[in-house]
Amino acid sequence: MKKTYQAVLFDFGGVITTSLLKAFRAFGAGLGDEKLPLKLLGNKQSQSAQLLAAHEEGRISAAEFEAGYARELAEYGVVVEPEGLITRIQAGLDTDPESVQLVADLREQGYPVGLLSNSFGDNCYAGYDLDSMFAAVTISADIGVRKPSRKAYQLACEKLGADPGHTVMVDDLQHNLDSAARLGMAGVLHTQAAATRTELEGLLSQPGAR
């Protein structure tokens, strides 16, 4: 018998919003190097990647991350003003109304739906009433651990009152889904809301069913 799931956790940036990766590329293009901003953050040995991890886990402020990121960009010949750096990156993000509607539809159908997000900046969630949108909200800086740590998924599932083995994670990064899978969670790699909706329909059982 095919396994089915009863609860869903959504990522924020790149799922509830438009693509975060595209926003970084647009930011880089404006600096003359489309790939550099993500290249630095994707290299675990770089100062920027280490600062991002510390920021997402609430160990340093947004301003401290911005200062360190700007310093490393400067080492590659790209000079940027540190203050407001995150805000300028996030300027390339918009709300994805179809994803917001998907969350609302799932909740109306009776599914437990939560948010698990790695925080980025002081105003990452400005304009969103997350507590109304989701049954449970878990932010990395609040719990001191970030995706792809398995502890982040465990804590998010606990807050949602869901068994990880019966929960689907929706994320735009495959490595986050790979980590969730180690807890028995199903994963949906998000590219657009319509495709995610279709995948979830194939994974979810009727609300309350086992």
Side-chain angles (χ1 to χ4, degrees):
M1 181 181 294
K2 179 183 175 182
K3 182 176 180 180
T4 55
Y5 300 81
Q6 288 84 39
V8 187
L9 284 173
F10 279 83
D11 179 30
F12 181 78
V15 177
I16 300 303
T17 73
T18 53
S19 174
L20 185 57
L21 299 179
K22 287 183 180 179
F24 268 101
R25 293 189 191 105
F27 172 71
L31 300 175
D33 191 334
E34 179 181 288
K35 296 181 179 179
L36 181 61
L38 278 174
K39 178 182 176 181
L40 293 181
L41 295 179
N43 176 5
K44 294 182 180 180
Q45 305 305 315
S46 76
Q47 180 189 41
S48 296
Q50 293 169 19
L51 289 170
L52 177 63
H55 171 55
E56 289 181 335
E57 292 178 350
R59 293 183 279 116
I60 66 170
S61 68
E64 288 173 295
F65 165 76
E66 289 173 328
Y69 194 28
R71 279 195 303 271
E72 192 159 27
L73 286 167
E75 292 174 8
Y76 286 80
V78 177
V79 178
V80 295
E81 172 62 38
E83 186 175 354
L85 182 55
I86 291 175
T87 299
R88 297 197 296 279
I89 294 169
Q90 291 173 335
L93 292 176
D94 290 306
T95 302
D96 185 334
E98 292 186 20
S99 289
V100 172
Q101 187 60 53
L102 173 57
V103 170
D105 290 347
L106 289 170
R107 293 201 67 191
E108 185 175 345
Q109 292 164 25
Y111 294 104
V113 181
L115 179 76
L116 173 58
S117 173
N118 287 348
S119 50
F120 186 53
D122 294 329
N123 300 299
C124 181
Y125 310 105
Y128 295 87
D129 187 351
L130 298 181
D131 289 330
S132 293
M133 289 176 63
F134 296 95
V137 175
T138 305
I139 306 298
S140 62
D142 295 336
I143 60 174
V145 65
R146 66 174 190 153
K147 295 176 295 179
S149 168
R150 278 175 277 182
K151 185 177 180 181
Y153 304 100
Q154 290 172 325
L155 291 172
C157 286
E158 286 176 12
K159 195 166 186 180
L160 186 59
D163 178 347
H166 293 282
T167 302
V168 183
M169 181 74 215
V170 179
D171 204 291
D172 62 328
L173 297 177
Q174 185 61 50
H175 68 265
N176 286 340
L177 298 179
D178 292 342
S179 183
R182 296 188 185 102
L183 287 175
M185 299 175 70
V188 172
L189 183 62
H190 179 87
T191 55
Q192 56 180 347
T196 293
R197 182 185 290 272
T198 298
E199 286 199 55
L200 287 173
E201 287 173 352
L203 288 168
L204 294 171
S205 63
Q206 290 300 310
R210 286 283 179 179

